[in-house]
Protein backbone atom coordinates (compact mmCIF):
# COMPACT_ATOMS: atom_id res chain seq x y z
CA UNK A 1 0.00 0.00 0.00
CA UNK A 2 1.33 3.45 -0.87
CA UNK A 3 1.19 6.42 1.46
CA UNK A 4 -1.54 8.10 -0.60
CA UNK A 5 -3.62 4.92 -0.45
CA UNK A 6 -3.15 4.94 3.33
CA UNK A 7 -4.32 8.56 3.57
CA UNK A 8 -7.39 7.73 1.50
CA UNK A 9 -8.18 4.82 3.81
CA UNK A 10 -7.71 7.06 6.84
CA UNK A 11 -10.18 9.57 5.39
CA UNK A 12 -12.70 6.77 4.89
CA UNK A 13 -12.06 5.49 8.40
CA UNK A 14 -12.77 8.99 9.69
CA UNK A 15 -16.19 8.90 8.03
CA UNK A 16 -16.90 5.42 9.37
CA UNK A 17 -15.75 6.16 12.93
CA UNK A 18 -17.60 9.48 13.06
CA UNK A 19 -20.75 7.82 11.76
CA UNK A 20 -20.58 5.18 14.50
CA UNK A 21 -19.85 7.78 17.17
CA UNK A 22 -22.63 10.11 16.07
CA UNK A 23 -25.19 7.30 15.94
CA UNK A 24 -24.43 6.77 19.64
CA UNK A 25 -24.55 10.51 20.37
CA UNK A 26 -27.88 10.86 18.58
CA UNK A 27 -29.33 8.21 20.92
CA UNK A 28 -28.48 10.19 24.08
CA UNK A 29 -31.24 11.20 26.45
CA UNK A 30 -32.18 14.90 26.63
CA UNK A 31 -29.51 16.86 28.47
CA UNK A 32 -26.71 14.31 28.09
CA UNK A 33 -25.19 15.88 24.95
CA UNK A 34 -24.47 19.20 26.64
CA UNK A 35 -24.01 17.93 30.22
CA UNK A 36 -20.77 18.89 31.97
CA UNK A 37 -18.26 16.04 32.05
CA UNK A 38 -14.64 15.51 33.01
CA UNK A 39 -12.43 15.69 29.92
CA UNK A 40 -10.24 18.14 28.00
CA UNK A 41 -13.43 19.88 26.80
CA UNK A 42 -16.23 19.92 29.38
CA UNK A 43 -18.97 18.21 27.34
CA UNK A 44 -19.64 15.91 24.44
CA UNK A 45 -21.11 18.86 22.53
CA UNK A 46 -18.02 21.03 23.02
CA UNK A 47 -15.63 18.22 22.11
CA UNK A 48 -17.46 17.37 18.89
CA UNK A 49 -17.69 21.06 17.95
CA UNK A 50 -13.93 21.35 18.49
CA UNK A 51 -13.28 18.42 16.16
CA UNK A 52 -15.21 19.91 13.27
CA UNK A 53 -13.86 23.43 13.87
CA UNK A 54 -10.29 22.14 13.59
CA UNK A 55 -11.21 19.91 10.63
CA UNK A 56 -12.53 22.94 8.77
CA UNK A 57 -9.44 24.97 9.65
CA UNK A 58 -7.07 22.38 8.25
CA UNK A 59 -9.14 21.76 5.13
CA UNK A 60 -8.96 25.50 4.47
CA UNK A 61 -5.17 25.27 4.75
CA UNK A 62 -5.05 22.18 2.52
CA UNK A 63 -7.21 23.72 -0.20
CA UNK A 64 -5.77 27.24 0.05
CA UNK A 65 -9.25 28.39 0.96
CA UNK A 66 -8.03 31.81 1.97
CA UNK A 67 -9.63 32.04 5.42
CA UNK A 68 -6.56 31.07 7.42
CA UNK A 69 -7.05 31.21 11.18
CA UNK A 70 -10.41 32.90 10.59
CA UNK A 71 -11.73 29.49 9.52
CA UNK A 72 -11.50 28.55 13.21
CA UNK A 73 -12.28 31.97 14.69
CA UNK A 74 -15.53 32.38 12.74
CA UNK A 75 -16.78 28.85 13.40
CA UNK A 76 -20.26 28.93 14.96
CA UNK A 77 -20.72 25.95 17.28
CA UNK A 78 -23.69 23.69 16.78
CA UNK A 79 -26.15 23.43 19.65
CA UNK A 80 -27.78 20.18 18.61
CA UNK A 81 -26.32 16.78 17.83
CA UNK A 82 -28.29 16.23 14.61
CA UNK A 83 -26.99 19.38 12.91
CA UNK A 84 -23.47 18.68 14.13
CA UNK A 85 -23.64 15.08 12.87
CA UNK A 86 -24.77 16.26 9.42
CA UNK A 87 -22.01 18.87 9.25
CA UNK A 88 -19.35 16.33 10.28
CA UNK A 89 -20.55 13.81 7.67
CA UNK A 90 -20.45 16.55 5.02
CA UNK A 91 -16.91 17.48 6.06
CA UNK A 92 -15.80 13.84 6.08
CA UNK A 93 -16.99 13.40 2.50
CA UNK A 94 -15.14 16.58 1.47
CA UNK A 95 -11.97 15.21 3.07
CA UNK A 96 -12.38 11.91 1.22
CA UNK A 97 -12.83 13.80 -2.07
CA UNK A 98 -9.75 15.91 -1.32
CA UNK A 99 -7.64 12.82 -0.59
CA UNK A 100 -8.96 11.05 -3.68
CA UNK A 101 -7.76 13.97 -5.85
CA UNK A 102 -4.23 13.92 -4.44
CA UNK A 103 -1.28 12.21 -6.06
CA UNK A 104 1.55 10.61 -4.14
CA UNK A 105 3.73 13.62 -5.02
CA UNK A 106 1.14 16.02 -3.55
CA UNK A 107 1.83 14.63 -0.08
CA UNK A 108 5.24 16.37 -0.09
CA UNK A 109 3.84 19.64 -1.45
CA UNK A 110 3.75 22.44 1.09
CA UNK A 111 0.78 24.68 1.81
CA UNK A 112 0.67 27.72 4.04
CA UNK A 113 -0.80 27.39 7.54
CA UNK A 114 -1.81 30.57 9.34
CA UNK A 115 -0.32 30.42 12.84
CA UNK A 116 -1.42 33.92 13.76
CA UNK A 117 1.35 35.68 15.69
CA UNK A 118 3.80 32.90 14.76
CA UNK A 119 3.26 33.69 11.09
CA UNK A 120 2.46 31.84 7.92
CA UNK A 121 4.14 28.45 8.17
CA UNK A 122 4.53 26.12 5.16
CA UNK A 123 3.66 22.50 6.01
CA UNK A 124 3.62 19.28 3.97
CA UNK A 125 0.16 18.10 2.94
CA UNK A 126 0.96 14.57 4.14
CA UNK A 127 1.92 15.89 7.57
CA UNK A 128 -1.24 17.98 7.83
CA UNK A 129 -3.41 15.01 6.91
CA UNK A 130 -1.64 12.83 9.47
CA UNK A 131 -2.23 15.52 12.07
CA UNK A 132 -5.93 15.81 11.21
CA UNK A 133 -6.44 12.05 11.52
CA UNK A 134 -4.55 11.90 14.82
CA UNK A 135 -6.43 14.92 16.18
CA UNK A 136 -9.79 13.39 15.29
CA UNK A 137 -8.91 9.99 16.77
CA UNK A 138 -7.69 11.66 19.96
CA UNK A 139 -10.87 13.66 20.53
CA UNK A 140 -13.21 10.87 19.40
CA UNK A 141 -11.58 8.83 22.16
CA UNK A 142 -12.51 11.52 24.66
CA UNK A 143 -16.13 11.47 23.49
CA UNK A 144 -16.05 7.67 23.65
CA UNK A 145 -14.95 7.87 27.29
CA UNK A 146 -17.60 10.48 28.10
CA UNK A 147 -20.28 8.26 26.59
CA UNK A 148 -19.44 5.67 29.25
CA UNK A 149 -21.13 8.00 31.76
CA UNK A 150 -24.36 8.29 29.77
CA UNK A 151 -27.37 6.14 28.94
CA UNK A 152 -25.68 5.03 25.68
CA UNK A 153 -22.87 2.49 25.49
CA UNK A 154 -19.75 3.72 23.67
CA UNK A 155 -19.55 2.22 20.16
CA UNK A 156 -16.72 0.15 18.72
CA UNK A 157 -14.39 2.67 17.05
CA UNK A 158 -11.15 0.83 16.40
CA UNK A 159 -12.23 -1.10 13.34
CA UNK A 160 -10.19 -0.03 10.37
CA UNK A 161 -11.64 -1.38 7.16
CA UNK A 162 -9.95 -4.75 7.58
CA UNK A 163 -11.49 -7.44 5.41
CA UNK A 164 -12.95 -8.95 8.58
CA UNK A 165 -14.43 -5.60 9.65
CA UNK A 166 -15.92 -4.96 6.22
CA UNK A 167 -17.58 -8.37 6.28
CA UNK A 168 -18.77 -7.95 9.88
CA UNK A 169 -20.15 -4.44 9.25
CA UNK A 170 -21.28 -4.92 5.64
CA UNK A 171 -24.49 -2.88 6.09
CA UNK A 172 -22.58 0.10 7.47
CA UNK A 173 -19.92 -0.07 4.78
CA UNK A 174 -22.55 -0.17 2.03
CA UNK A 175 -24.68 2.60 3.59
CA UNK A 176 -21.62 4.88 3.74
CA UNK A 177 -20.43 3.95 0.26
CA UNK A 178 -17.11 2.65 1.50
Amino acid sequence: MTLIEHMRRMARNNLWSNDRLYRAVLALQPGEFEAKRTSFFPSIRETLNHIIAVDRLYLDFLTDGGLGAAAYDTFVPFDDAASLAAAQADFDRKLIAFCDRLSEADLDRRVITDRREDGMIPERIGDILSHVFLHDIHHRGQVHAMLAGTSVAPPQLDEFLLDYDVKLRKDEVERLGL
Side-chain angles (χ1 to χ4, degrees), residues 14 17-18 21 51 136-144 157:
N14 237 31
S17 294
N18 285 330
L21 187 65
I51 291 170
D136 289 0
I137 290 166
H138 169 71
H139 288 298
R140 273 195 304 264
Q142 292 171 339
V143 173
H144 188 271
L157 293 180

Side-chain angles (χ1 to χ4, degrees), residues 63-114:
T63 61
D64 193 24
L67 294 176
Y72 187 84
D73 298 338
T74 60
F75 174 75
V76 177
F78 292 87
D79 289 327
D80 67 288
S83 297
L84 187 51
Q88 186 66 60
D90 180 61
F91 170 83
D92 290 341
R93 293 199 182 282
K94 287 177 183 172
L95 186 60
I96 289 169
F98 174 80
C99 288
D100 285 350
R101 287 190 303 270
L102 291 175
S103 70
E104 191 80 30
D106 285 328
L107 296 177
D108 284 328
R109 185 167 45 88
R110 291 184 180 269
V111 294
I112 300 300
T113 61
D114 180 357

